[in-house]
């Protein structure tokens, strides 16, 4: 009514090049079947990494609907000259012992202490074991999937040093992200790494 631009028109008039989406994969704490109830979460509680979040769709009951709408979202940005960076949180999951990963192969996909408890450099209850081959493979293939299937242009990796953590220290992060950057599908993708963790382990700004 006041003649001001809103939505996509406002983003365009800002003369920006990229839009950063908060996590858009399926996360836990927003109940997709109770969209009449006020709910909010940033999305840092991953459930299914390779599925678009249903609460952002007009009909979460239809799996194909959330896929089509998310693809149209990316397409709309591209048609207006904007590239899309997706926030990804591969360093932990919402659940630990009852997670999809741990039910698949108990004790493999997460770092655990000698007493069997979950290591927690994320301050979210667990941390994924990216030093293990199948976890690294999953992350790489997941990122490639979002690029090839949805045409996402880049990624912001949450608490990136956790992905390079090993029992011996934090010396694996360079090799981990080099493998991602060298993949031919990801050659043009923008990769952003948040350079610290927040839980036990004490990784500080400037070490990544």
């Amino acid at each position: 009514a006041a003649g001001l631009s809103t939505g996509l028109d406002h983003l365009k008039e800002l003369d920006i090049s990229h839009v950063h989406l908060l996590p858009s994969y399926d996360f836990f704490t927003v109940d997709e079947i109770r969209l009449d109830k006020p709910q909010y979460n940033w999305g840092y509680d991953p459930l299914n990494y390779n599925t678009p979040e249903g609460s952002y769709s007009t009909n979460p009951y239809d799996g194909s609907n959330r896929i089509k709408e998310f693809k149209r979202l990316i397409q709309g940005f591209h048609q207006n000259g904007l590239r899309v960076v997706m926030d990804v949180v591969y360093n932990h999951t919402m659940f630990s012992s009852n997670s999809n990963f741990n039910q698949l192969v108990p004790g493999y996909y997460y770092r655990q202490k000698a007493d069997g408890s979950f290591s927690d450099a994320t301050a979210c209850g667990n941390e994924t074991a990216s030093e293990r081959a199948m976890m690294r493979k999953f992350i790489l293939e997941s990122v490639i999937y979002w690029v090839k299937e949805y045409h996402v242009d880049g990624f912001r990796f949450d608490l990136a040093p956790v992905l390079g953590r090993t029992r011996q220290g934090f010396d694996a992060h360079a090799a981990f992200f080099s493998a991602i950057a060298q993949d031919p599908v990801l050659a043009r993708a923008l990769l952003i790494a948040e350079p610290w963790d927040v839980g036990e382990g004490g990784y500080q700004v400037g070490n990544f």
Side-chain angles (χ1 to χ4, degrees), residues 143-197:
V143 171
I144 291 173
Y145 173 74
W146 285 104
V147 171
K148 294 178 69 174
E149 189 66 29
Y150 293 90
H151 296 185
V152 171
D153 302 292
F155 302 91
R156 179 264 190 188
F157 288 85
D158 180 69
L159 302 181
V162 177
L163 295 174
R165 193 169 183 231
T166 67
R167 291 179 183 273
Q168 291 73 40
F170 294 91
D171 55 355
H173 59 266
F176 178 83
F177 283 98
S178 291
I180 290 178
Q182 291 170 10
D183 185 276
V185 175
L186 302 175
R188 296 184 179 180
L190 177 63
L191 302 179
I192 303 170
E194 183 179 28
W196 57 79
D197 65 20

Side-chain angles (χ1 to χ4, degrees), residues 12-33:
K12 289 170 62 177
E13 72 180 10
L14 292 175
D15 196 28
I16 59 176
S17 60
H18 292 70
V19 172
H20 179 163
L21 299 180
L22 286 176
S24 302
Y25 51 72
D26 182 43
F27 51 86
F28 177 74
T29 48
V30 173
D31 189 345
E32 296 178 351
I33 65 172

Side-chain angles (χ1 to χ4, degrees), residues 88-200:
V88 287
V89 187
Y90 292 110
N91 56 67
H92 74 275
T93 57
M94 174 65 188
F95 298 107
S96 299
S97 58
N98 293 326
S99 71
N100 295 332
F101 282 137
N102 205 53
Q103 291 184 67
L104 178 65
V105 184
Y108 180 82
Y109 286 97
Y110 299 91
R111 300 181 184 116
Q112 292 176 260
K113 302 176 185 177
D115 63 2
S117 62
F118 287 86
S119 183
D120 190 19
T122 64
C124 293
N126 61 68
E127 54 185 279
T128 54
S130 56
E131 68 275 13
R132 294 173 182 160
M134 295 309 293
M135 189 67 225
R136 289 197 306 275
K137 185 175 188 290
F138 176 87
I139 295 173
L140 181 60
E141 291 182 351
S142 178
V143 171
I144 291 173
Y145 173 74
W146 285 104
V147 171
K148 294 178 69 174
E149 189 66 29
Y150 293 90
H151 296 185
V152 171
D153 302 292
F155 302 91
R156 179 264 190 188
F157 288 85
D158 180 69
L159 302 181
V162 177
L163 295 174
R165 193 169 183 231
T166 67
R167 291 179 183 273
Q168 291 73 40
F170 294 91
D171 55 355
H173 59 266
F176 178 83
F177 283 98
S178 291
I180 290 178
Q182 291 170 10
D183 185 276
V185 175
L186 302 175
R188 296 184 179 180
L190 177 63
L191 302 179
I192 303 170
E194 183 179 28
W196 57 79
D197 65 20
V198 294
E200 60 188 38

